[in-house]
Amino acid sequence: YFDFVNTRYKIETALPIILPVYMNTHVLLLNAAKILNVIFYSRTVCELGFLTAVYIVIFLYGIYLVLRALRTKQLWVNILIGFAVTIVMLDRGNTLYFGSLYAEPAAFVSFLLALGVFMNMLRFKRFSKYNVCMFFISLMFFMGAKVQYGLLSVLFIPLSVLMIKLADRKNMKRLIKIMTSVMIIVSIGVYLIQPPYLDEVTTFDSVFCGVLTGDENADKQALKELGL
């Protein structure tokens, strides 16, 4: 696959655009990269290096926050933690996607950023408006990057409850409740607004690529029953 990666695409319009045939938070990062491309490179040719740069910036900030939350008073322990985190997070299975139009890297860096912010709030007991908003926005970008992640909001509600208990100000508790409600609405909304053809594509890919690839004697009747 990586011998045939296309890194340049024609730009139809220099303005940011979101089409109803494909609506998720991943598109927002694509548009951010497109704006940078138009400003610094070309109005007619889109170079995926700008999208990669957007992912790298978010990724490095997330790594910094995670290491900051795990920092100890002993230098050798910090070096060991930094090495372990680097080895895991810089796995090629993650970073190779940074140079593609797949939604996986958007979900990955968004979740990493949310994790880093949350760890810092717990470590330093700093529930500021910036931290709370950054945490929930990152989660919404994560859950909205791919349709199947949209229903994961129920798994993060316990974290919201924990944050409400730890926050020492009423206005901060109120903000956490508001952002939790917005997160649930956005995650369900992203799941519901997806066009029906995505289910058909998923079914086709699962059956054809997952089962029938390389099978020269596929039963035609079975294919008809599968809608293929």
Side-chain angles (χ1 to χ4, degrees):
Y1 165 79
F2 287 103
D3 289 335
F4 301 96
V5 172
N6 185 23
T7 61
R8 291 190 174 188
Y9 294 85
K10 180 181 178 181
I11 296 179
E12 297 289 345
T13 173
L15 298 175
I17 184 172
I18 299 178
L19 299 175
V21 296
Y22 187 68
M23 299 178 64
N24 56 27
T25 55
H26 171 227
V27 176
L28 299 179
L29 295 179
L30 290 178
N31 275 290
K34 177 182 174 182
I35 292 173
L36 294 175
N37 187 102
V38 170
I39 294 175
F40 297 106
Y41 181 62
S42 172
R43 296 175 62 90
T44 58
V45 178
C46 180
E47 171 59 58
L48 279 190
F50 287 94
L51 178 60
T52 302
V54 171
Y55 289 145
I56 288 175
V57 170
I58 301 174
F59 174 78
L60 291 178
Y61 186 42
I63 289 290
Y64 163 75
L65 291 176
V66 169
L67 293 178
R68 182 168 178 254
L70 295 175
R71 186 173 56 195
T72 69
K73 294 181 179 180
Q74 294 181 307
L75 179 61
W76 70 271
V77 175
N78 294 335
I79 294 175
L80 184 62
I81 292 174
F83 178 77
V85 171
T86 301
I87 289 297
V88 173
M89 294 303 179
L90 286 178
D91 184 89
R92 189 171 60 175
N94 298 322
T95 56
L96 278 177
Y97 283 96
F98 283 19
S100 73
L101 291 175
Y102 285 110
E104 277 78 5
F108 174 63
V109 298
S110 298
F111 182 78
L112 179 62
L113 181 57
L115 177 65
V117 174
F118 184 74
M119 291 174 63
N120 275 267
M121 286 192 293
L122 291 184
R123 170 72 184 273
F124 303 106
K125 301 296 187 296
R126 295 175 184 170
F127 292 90
S128 64
K129 292 182 180 179
Y130 171 81
N131 286 335
V132 171
C133 290
M134 179 64 72
F135 172 69
F136 282 103
I137 291 173
S138 300
L139 280 185
M140 285 185 273
F141 266 81
F142 163 68
M143 290 182 291
K146 294 179 70 68
V147 179
Q148 57 266 42
Y149 297 163
L151 300 179
L152 292 178
S153 58
V154 294
L155 301 179
F156 297 110
I157 293 178
L159 298 183
S160 298
V161 175
L162 176 62
M163 291 170 62
I164 292 172
K165 290 183 178 180
L166 294 177
D168 56 356
R169 290 178 293 171
K170 289 185 177 180
N171 63 334
M172 198 55 56
K173 293 178 184 290
R174 189 185 311 116
L175 177 62
I176 296 172
K177 293 177 182 178
I178 292 173
M179 294 301 294
T180 302
S181 301
V182 173
M183 175 190 70
I184 295 173
I185 293 173
V186 169
S187 63
I188 295 176
V190 169
Y191 182 82
L192 294 177
I193 65 176
Q194 298 305 318
Y197 80 86
L198 287 181
D199 287 337
E200 300 171 3
V201 171
T202 300
T203 300
F204 180 87
D205 286 343
S206 299
V207 175
F208 182 76
C209 298
V211 179
L212 302 178
T213 300
D215 186 357
E216 298 179 358
N217 301 306
D219 183 79
K220 293 183 178 180
Q221 183 58 36
L223 294 179
K224 288 183 179 180
E225 293 176 358
L226 292 170
L228 301 177

